[in-house]
């Protein structure tokens, strides 16, 4: 009987699925170590200022507690990100609310709650800066009191963590071309679009357990942190600096992780360092787990953004040129803002051909907790602005949104805005045709236009076309130099060793599928090791839609090497059964002792990228998509709901259809929340609605039927042609939804989240309380400013 391989293209059971369903999976708060204490964090209550004094209440016996301050840090007082501006603990100055100042440990969690209340801190309070605009105004006015970040030591400007300028060619030529384009354009269309912060809201809060080991002289010899995280080697690097230890003395273990979405990319470097410091000083293992309110208030969010576009367009609808300006709010420290800004910059032009293009971008400093990674990583922000603007251009020049896009789509053989040739097949025309057909777009556009004349519920349909680069930007994958091991267990089964982590998205499953396909083995025979940096190599972070494509390809290559080794030295037949593989593996082990294959990243094709000019091959590959949203806007309650959603994407070979569909459905759900529900309410830099009772996310009852469709165009960069999929579905929902709302109401909304009160205020400001099709006033709405010129 032919064996069932369950490799790429099949949908086997998740590797960790059974344990999760049966309740056997153990998360960090399920774990305990002998003589373990618990940790807590004393945080600032102001946005900006100087610490004057710390008071420890007399009602607490402080001899029972371990208290850690910045003075106790044996290495550098910094959390390692891209720059070292982020203090591990505030020692003198405060730059955001909820900034860590002290750490406490005690055997009793209840005692810690009492101790936290007994500590008071005196401050000299300084004026804070809380938005992109306030930060810009402080710099423009040279207001020394509100210059909150001096970037001189990092070759940056005041209040600005990073800037990029990206041209669609040589800078001087593009500038000259832009001047001509705007002079010759029939229409010049301008718009401004903004997005808010978004909380990752993973099911499991951040948490770790740390141990510290000393040598016979009492000096710190090594540290070990296990916890809920995405990127174990990020935490290794952070511990190296905080403890002044070599890499091999900093062990990190990822345990079962209940969701992440980017929120556990860089932040475990913070909480992991804190727990390890407590373990060092207390002499006990220390568990540090945040509750929901602390997790929401103190950890990273999606960057708020502002995108401005000025575009030159011909009467026929050809894009002639664009000036795009992107700004993101980085929060109080740089953290990952430069790389989030990079992706926002590169994705700002979208899947379109721009003869002349300039994108300028910047990440501004504010006195809110640092913003960080979240699914999409900058692309949802700039693509929201672009796709709203494309609909605005179409409306301005009097053609349909579909026709405008068809006239300007990139295609196979074209060059992206960074000058990257599209050598693999790209057919956005086909994607658009199918997406609109699946959604019955044209029929609904006509039907709703009639129904909306008399109905208080206005219905509309809108779409967004977009792409998402998979893998690290430019030369990033070469710099990572990721490595994968594949070894034989004593019983002959192959085991994958990678630092890529499973946090619900399917890493363990798809990597085992990649190995099973290459080894010609049943999926159940392939195992994957727990990510433990004392055992697994650094295969790069589990981010950037890179796991399936980059790491999966490495697993495939290691599997092919293993087959070659076993066929050469253990007589493994080419068309083998699983029993023949196991027998050959055991013969090899009996003779040689062990077998471990190791491979490092090598691009399948030459990749050229210029970091200074920001030109070249921005990503190893791209996923392409068209999303269609159908909405209903009730003009009596001013609520907007999504009533149907169609998501069509080309993501290379679909590795696991069930998991892939789930990834798209989950991303669309988060995108709907981003567009219509999830608002971070800030009060002097503190997240005021840091509870699940008043931070509103869509539940299953709020979500529409989500219809997921795939086109498969295999890519040479991934295993069996697979590409990345995880971030793509976050990019398209918000602009598609707001395009649909404009189609329903005739009113343009260009900021998200769009809540009922926002619709109410906008509708009444325009003087038509029950919706309708009245045009916005270009004299009062910057978003709709249009210049018409005669060439």
């Amino acid at each position: 009987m032919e064996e069932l391989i369950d490799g790429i293209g099949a949908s086997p059971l998740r590797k960790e699925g059974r344990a999760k369903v049966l309740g056997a999976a153990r998360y960090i708060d399920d774990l305990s170590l002998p003589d373990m204490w618990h940790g807590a964090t004393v945080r600032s209550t102001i946005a900006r200022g100087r610490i004057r004094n710390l008071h420890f209440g007399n009602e607490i016996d402080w001899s029972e507690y371990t208290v850690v301050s910045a003075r106790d840090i044996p290495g550098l007082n910094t959390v390692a990100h891209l720059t070292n501006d982020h203090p591990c603990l505030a020692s003198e100055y405060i730059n955001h609310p909820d900034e860590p100042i002290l750490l406490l440990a005690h055997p009793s969690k209840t005692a810690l709650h009492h101790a936290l209340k007994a500590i008071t801190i005196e401050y000299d309070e300084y004026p804070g800066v809380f938005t992109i605009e306030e930060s810009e105004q402080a710099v423009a006015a040279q207001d020394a009191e509100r210059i909150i970040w001096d970037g001189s030591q990092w070759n940056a400007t005041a209040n600005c963590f990073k800037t990029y300028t990206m041209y669609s060619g040589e800078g001087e030529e593009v500038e000259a071309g832009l001047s001509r384009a705007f002079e010759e354009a029939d229409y010049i269309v301008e718009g401004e679009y903004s997005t808010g912060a978004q909380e990752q809201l993973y099911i499991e809060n951040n948490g770790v357990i740390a141990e510290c080991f000393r040598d016979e002289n009492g000096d710190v010899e090594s540290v070990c942190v296990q916890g809920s995280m995405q990127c174990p080697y990020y935490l290794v690097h952070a511990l190296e600096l905080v403890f002044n230890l070599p890499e091999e003395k900093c062990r990190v273990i990822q345990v079962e992780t209940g969701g992440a979405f980017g929120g556990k990319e860089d932040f475990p470097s913070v909480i992991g360092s804190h727990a390890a410091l407590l373990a060092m000083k207390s002499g006990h293992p220390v568990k540090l787990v945040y509750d929901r309110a602390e997790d929401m208030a103190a950890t990273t969010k999606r960057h708020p953004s502002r995108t401005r576009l000025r575009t030159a367009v011909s009467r026929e609808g050809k894009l002639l040129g664009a000036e795009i300006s992107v700004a993101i709010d980085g929060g109080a420290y740089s953290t990952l803002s430069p790389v989030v800004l990079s992706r926002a910059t590169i994705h700002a032009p979208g899947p379109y051909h721009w003869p002349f293009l300039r994108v300028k971008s910047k990440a501004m400093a504010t006195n809110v907790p640092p913003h960080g990674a979240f699914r999409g990583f900058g692309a949802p922000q700039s693509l929201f602005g672009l796709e709203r603007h494309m609909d605005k251009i179409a409306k301005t020049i009097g053609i349909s949104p579909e026709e405008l896009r068809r006239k300007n789509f990139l295609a196979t053989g074209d060059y992206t805005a960074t000058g990257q040739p599209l050598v693999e097949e790209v057919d956005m025309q086909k994607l658009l045709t199918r997406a609109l057909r699946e959604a019955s777009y044209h029929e609904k556009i006509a039907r709703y236009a009639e129904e909306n004349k008399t109905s208080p519920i206005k219905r509309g349909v809108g779409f967004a076309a977009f792409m998402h680069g998979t893998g690290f930007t430019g030369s990033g994958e070469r710099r990572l130099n990721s490595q994968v091991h594949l070894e034989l267990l004593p019983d002959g089964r192959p085991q994958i060793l990678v630092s890529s982590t499973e946090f619900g998205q399917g890493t363990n499953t798809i990597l085992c599928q990649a190995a099973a396909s290459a080894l010609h083995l049943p999926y159940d025979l392939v195992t994957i090791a727990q990510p433990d940096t004392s055992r697994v190599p650094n295969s790069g972070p589990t981010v950037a839609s890179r796991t399936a494509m980059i790491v999966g390809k490495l697993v495939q290559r290691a599997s092919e090497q293993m087959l070659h080794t076993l066929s050469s030295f253990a007589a493994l037949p080419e068309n083998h059964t699983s029993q023949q593989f196991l027998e050959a593996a055991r013969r090899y082990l009996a003779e040689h002792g062990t077998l471990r294959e190791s491979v490092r990243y090598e691009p399948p094709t030459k990749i050229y990228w210029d970091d200074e000019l920001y030109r070249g091959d921005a990503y190893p590959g791209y996923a392409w998509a068209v999303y269609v949203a159908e909405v209903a806007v009730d003009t009596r309650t001013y609520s907007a709901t999504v009533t149907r959603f169609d998501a069509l994407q080309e993501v290379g070979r679909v590795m696991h259809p069930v998991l892939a569909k789930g990834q798209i459905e989950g991303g669309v759900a988060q995108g709907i929340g981003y567009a219509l529900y999830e608002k971070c309410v800030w009060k002097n830099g503190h997240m005021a609605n840091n509870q699940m009772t008043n931070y509103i996310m869509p539940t299953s009852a709020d979500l529409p039927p989500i219809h997921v469709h795939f086109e498969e165009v295999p890519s040479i960069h991934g295993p069996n042609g697979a590409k990345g999929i995880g971030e793509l579905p976050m990019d398209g929902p918000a602009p598609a939804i707001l395009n649909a709302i404009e189609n329903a109401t005739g009113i343009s909304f260009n900021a998200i989240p769009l809540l009922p009160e926002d619709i109410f205020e906008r509708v009444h400001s325009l003087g038509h309380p029950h919706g309708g099709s009245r045009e916005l006033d270009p004299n009062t709405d910057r978003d709709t400013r249009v210049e018409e010129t005669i060439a």
Side-chain angles (χ1 to χ4, degrees):
M1 188 175 78
E2 187 174 337
E3 291 185 296
L4 181 65
I5 299 299
D6 269 345
I8 291 174
S11 293
L13 295 176
R14 303 175 65 111
K15 281 293 182 182
E16 80 290 358
R18 183 178 179 84
K20 287 179 175 177
V21 169
L22 296 178
R26 303 186 73 202
Y27 296 83
I28 194 65
D29 215 16
D30 298 320
L31 303 178
S32 184
L33 296 178
D35 204 23
M36 185 179 77
W37 284 23
H38 296 275
T41 309
V42 178
R43 301 183 179 278
S44 63
T45 56
I46 65 168
R48 185 169 174 244
R50 184 172 180 270
I51 300 169
R52 285 176 47 201
N53 216 336
L54 301 168
H55 298 281
F56 294 82
N58 294 328
E59 67 273 25
I60 298 293
D61 182 358
W62 293 104
S63 66
E64 297 178 357
Y65 294 78
T66 292
V67 180
V68 168
S69 71
R71 291 191 299 272
D72 296 304
I73 296 173
L76 298 178
N77 182 15
T78 188
V79 179
H81 300 296
L82 299 173
T83 56
N84 292 336
D85 65 323
H86 187 187
C88 185
L89 292 170
S91 58
E92 183 177 3
Y93 293 100
I94 298 299
N95 282 304
H96 67 83
D98 304 295
E99 185 160 10
I101 299 173
L102 299 173
L103 305 170
L104 306 180
H106 191 274
S108 166
K109 290 176 72 174
T110 303
L112 282 172
H113 292 312
H114 295 303
L116 288 172
K117 295 176 182 176
I119 297 175
T120 56
I121 304 174
E122 295 179 23
Y123 307 94
D124 291 323
E125 197 163 353
Y126 301 158
V129 171
F130 302 115
T131 66
I132 293 170
E133 289 72 23
E134 288 179 8
S135 190
E136 290 172 327
Q137 290 162 9
V139 175
Q142 297 184 332
D143 183 350
E145 277 197 329
R146 295 179 187 273
I147 299 298
I148 60 173
W149 194 82
D150 177 12
S152 57
Q153 60 181 308
W154 292 286
N155 197 29
T157 58
N159 280 11
C160 186
F161 297 129
K162 184 68 176 179
T163 62
Y164 294 104
T165 300
M166 185 181 85
Y167 288 105
S168 59
E170 295 297 327
E172 291 184 5
E173 293 178 9
V174 172
E175 290 291 356
L178 282 172
S179 296
R180 291 195 304 273
F182 283 108
E183 287 174 6
E184 298 170 1
D186 297 309
Y187 295 91
I188 297 174
V189 186
E190 297 185 12
E192 180 175 312
Y193 311 88
S194 62
T195 66
Q198 186 183 20
E199 163 65 29
Q200 293 91 348
L201 217 67
Y202 26 69
I203 295 176
E204 178 203 27
N205 297 330
N206 274 281
V208 296
I209 297 174
E211 300 172 89
C212 182
F213 304 95
R214 296 181 181 272
D215 61 22
E216 57 187 15
N217 298 318
D219 297 326
V220 174
E221 184 176 43
S222 64
V223 291
C224 176
V225 180
Q226 53 184 316
S228 181
M229 68 187 74
Q230 291 178 243
C231 310
Y233 275 93
Y234 278 14
L235 178 50
V236 167
H237 184 45
L239 294 171
E240 287 180 65
L241 297 185
V242 169
F243 286 89
N244 193 26
L245 289 171
E247 178 181 316
E248 64 272 15
K249 297 296 184 179
C250 301
R251 181 184 179 190
V252 175
I253 306 167
Q254 187 237 7
V255 302
E256 202 72 74
T257 296
F261 307 114
K264 295 175 184 174
E265 176 178 347
D266 56 327
F267 199 84
S269 295
V270 178
I271 189 173
S273 297
H274 289 173
L277 288 168
L278 284 169
M280 175 195 72
K281 191 168 182 181
S282 69
H284 298 271
V286 173
K287 176 188 284 188
L288 182 55
V289 178
Y290 294 163
D291 64 20
R292 182 64 66 179
E294 183 177 23
D295 197 293
M296 292 181 72
T299 68
T300 60
K301 310 274 178 289
R302 185 185 302 283
H303 292 72
S305 76
R306 181 195 67 210
T307 300
R308 292 171 175 161
L309 293 100
R310 183 170 182 257
T311 49
V313 189
S314 75
R315 196 175 303 280
E316 295 75 29
K318 292 294 287 183
L319 302 174
L320 306 177
E323 298 169 341
I324 304 177
S325 170
V326 179
I328 63 172
D329 177 348
Y333 300 111
S334 178
T335 64
L336 298 178
S337 289
V339 282
V340 172
L341 184 68
S342 168
R343 192 169 283 265
T345 305
I346 293 171
H347 285 73
Y352 306 110
H353 173 67
W354 298 92
F356 301 102
L357 172 80
R358 181 185 67 232
V359 182
K360 301 193 82 168
S361 60
K362 59 185 177 182
M364 301 301 293
T366 60
N367 293 119
V368 303
H371 295 300
F374 193 160
R375 190 179 200 168
F377 211 70
Q381 289 96 315
S382 58
L383 284 169
F384 170 77
L386 176 72
E387 282 302 286
R388 285 296 295 126
H389 195 71
M390 291 296 286
D391 266 32
K392 180 176 182 180
I393 293 171
K395 187 174 182 179
T396 300
I397 69 177
I399 65 175
S400 71
E402 176 186 359
E403 183 182 354
L404 175 68
R405 288 168 172 83
R406 289 195 185 279
K407 288 178 181 287
N408 295 284
F409 274 145
L410 290 169
T412 310
D414 287 343
Y415 289 80
T416 68
T418 66
Q420 179 172 357
L422 295 174
V423 295
E424 297 187 329
E425 182 184 337
V426 178
D427 194 345
M428 290 298 293
Q429 304 285 353
K430 179 181 177 182
L431 290 181
L432 182 56
T433 297
R434 182 180 170 191
L436 298 185
R437 183 181 70 246
E438 297 279 3
S440 301
Y441 174 85
H442 296 106
E443 181 270 327
K444 289 174 181 175
I445 287 284
R447 173 156 55 92
Y448 293 156
E450 288 301 312
E451 293 176 359
N452 287 345
K453 293 176 181 178
T454 56
S455 174
I457 297 178
K458 311 296 182 185
R459 299 185 184 276
V461 190
F463 68 89
F466 57 101
M467 82 295 191
H468 195 94
T470 54
F472 265 40
T473 301
S475 53
E477 291 296 344
R478 283 203 304 271
R479 286 197 300 268
L480 284 174
N481 197 24
S482 298
Q483 188 175 28
V484 161
H485 296 329
L486 184 68
E487 66 180 14
L488 290 178
L489 296 174
D491 62 4
R493 289 178 300 148
Q495 183 177 59
I496 301 166
L497 291 96
V498 293
S499 62
S500 304
T501 53
E502 171 68 58
F503 40 88
Q505 85 285 31
T507 291
N508 291 349
T509 301
I510 62 169
L511 293 183
C512 287
Q513 282 184 277
S517 286
L519 293 168
H520 312 299
L521 288 179
Y523 163 82
D524 288 339
L525 271 184
V526 181
T527 66
I528 187 165
Q530 180 181 21
D532 176 342
T533 61
S534 69
R535 287 195 63 214
V536 303
N538 188 351
S539 52
T542 314
V543 301
S545 300
R546 65 182 298 276
T547 302
M549 186 174 76
I550 302 296
V551 183
K553 188 73 170 183
L554 292 174
V555 168
Q556 182 185 59
R557 287 175 47 211
S559 301
E560 291 166 350
Q561 280 188 197
M562 179 170 283
L563 280 184
H564 182 265
T565 300
L566 292 178
S567 64
S568 301
F569 297 100
L572 176 67
E574 183 177 351
N575 297 314
H576 56 268
T577 66
S578 58
Q579 187 60 36
Q580 289 172 321
F581 179 93
L582 293 173
E583 290 170 356
R586 290 166 190 155
R587 285 196 299 272
Y588 186 94
L589 293 175
E591 184 174 349
H592 300 280
T594 62
L595 174 58
R596 171 179 285 183
E597 304 287 0
S598 297
V599 296
R600 285 195 178 274
Y601 174 76
E602 295 175 5
T605 59
K606 186 177 180 181
I607 293 177
Y608 168 78
W609 178 254
D610 189 317
D611 281 305
E612 294 214 358
L613 295 177
Y614 236 61
R615 289 195 54 72
D617 301 324
Y619 300 102
Y622 294 87
W624 306 85
V626 176
Y627 284 5
V628 186
E630 184 178 331
V631 302
V633 182
D634 192 326
T635 58
R636 299 160 299 188
T637 62
Y638 301 95
S639 62
T641 56
V642 183
T643 56
R644 176 184 168 115
F645 202 95
D646 283 85
L648 170 64
Q649 43 269 309
E650 185 276 288
V651 293
R653 180 79 184 279
V654 177
M655 297 185 73
H656 189 297
V658 170
L659 287 181
K661 184 172 182 284
Q663 282 281 292
I664 301 304
E665 290 172 339
V668 169
Q670 284 185 313
I672 291 172
Y674 188 40
L676 297 178
Y677 294 92
E678 299 182 44
K679 183 172 185 175
C680 293
V681 179
W682 302 102
K683 186 174 181 180
N684 295 324
H686 170 74
M687 185 182 182
N689 60 330
N690 58 324
Q691 304 168 58
M692 292 181 72
T693 52
N694 52 13
Y695 179 86
I696 306 303
M697 64 171 288
T699 67
S700 57
D702 301 306
L703 296 173
I706 300 171
H707 301 269
V708 179
H709 318 282
F710 292 105
E711 291 282 340
E712 294 189 79
V713 179
S715 168
I716 62 170
H717 294 280
N720 289 43
K723 293 193 281 193
I725 194 174
E727 295 176 292
L728 177 81
M730 192 72 227
D731 296 346
I737 290 165
L738 265 70
N739 287 345
I741 290 173
E742 180 171 3
N743 174 248
T745 64
I747 303 173
S748 176
F749 297 92
N750 293 325
I752 56 172
L754 181 64
L755 306 184
E757 50 266 42
D758 302 315
I759 298 175
F760 174 88
E761 290 176 6
R762 186 64 174 277
V763 166
H764 281 266
S765 73
L766 295 171
H768 47 113
H770 298 296
S773 59
R774 169 177 166 180
E775 297 296 327
L776 302 183
D777 184 351
N779 296 314
T780 58
D781 278 278
R782 178 189 178 100
D783 289 349
T784 61
R785 222 169 33 194
V786 176
E787 301 173 32
E788 182 173 359
T789 62
I790 304 298

